[in-house]
Amino acid sequence: MNDHIYKKIELVGSSPTGIEDAVNNAVSRAAKTVRNMRWFEVSDIRGHIEDNKIGHWQVTVKIGFTLDA
């Protein structure tokens, strides 16, 4: 039986277009160096205001992955 043990990292993704794109940007960047990603959790959502409008979204994402044997 396999043990379900995960390591977790925290990233902040950003996007000028929306929350989902900010999450996708964080996951896509993590995928370049992190193997065995299994899940993500959004822990914080905020944004940057420029000229009284939303300049970009910032999303804190925790990504869980399994360790190599």
Side-chain angles (χ1 to χ4, degrees):
M1 182 170 124
N2 292 336
D3 291 330
H4 295 280
I5 298 175
Y6 302 91
K7 183 170 177 106
K8 186 165 52 170
I9 58 173
E10 184 175 86
L11 305 169
V12 177
S14 65
S15 170
T17 58
I19 296 167
E20 187 174 348
D21 284 342
V23 172
N24 280 323
N25 289 341
V27 171
S28 294
R29 178 59 184 91
K32 293 181 180 182
T33 58
V34 178
R35 295 184 306 276
N36 306 319
M37 291 190 297
R38 300 290 185 236
W39 53 266
F40 74 91
E41 164 188 348
V42 174
S43 61
D44 195 22
I45 300 171
R46 63 187 167 276
H48 179 74
I49 298 171
E50 296 174 359
D51 298 322
N52 297 320
K53 296 180 183 175
I54 296 172
H56 63 271
W57 294 90
Q58 299 169 327
V59 180
T60 303
V61 180
K62 295 178 182 178
I63 297 176
F65 58 97
T66 55
L67 301 173
D68 289 337

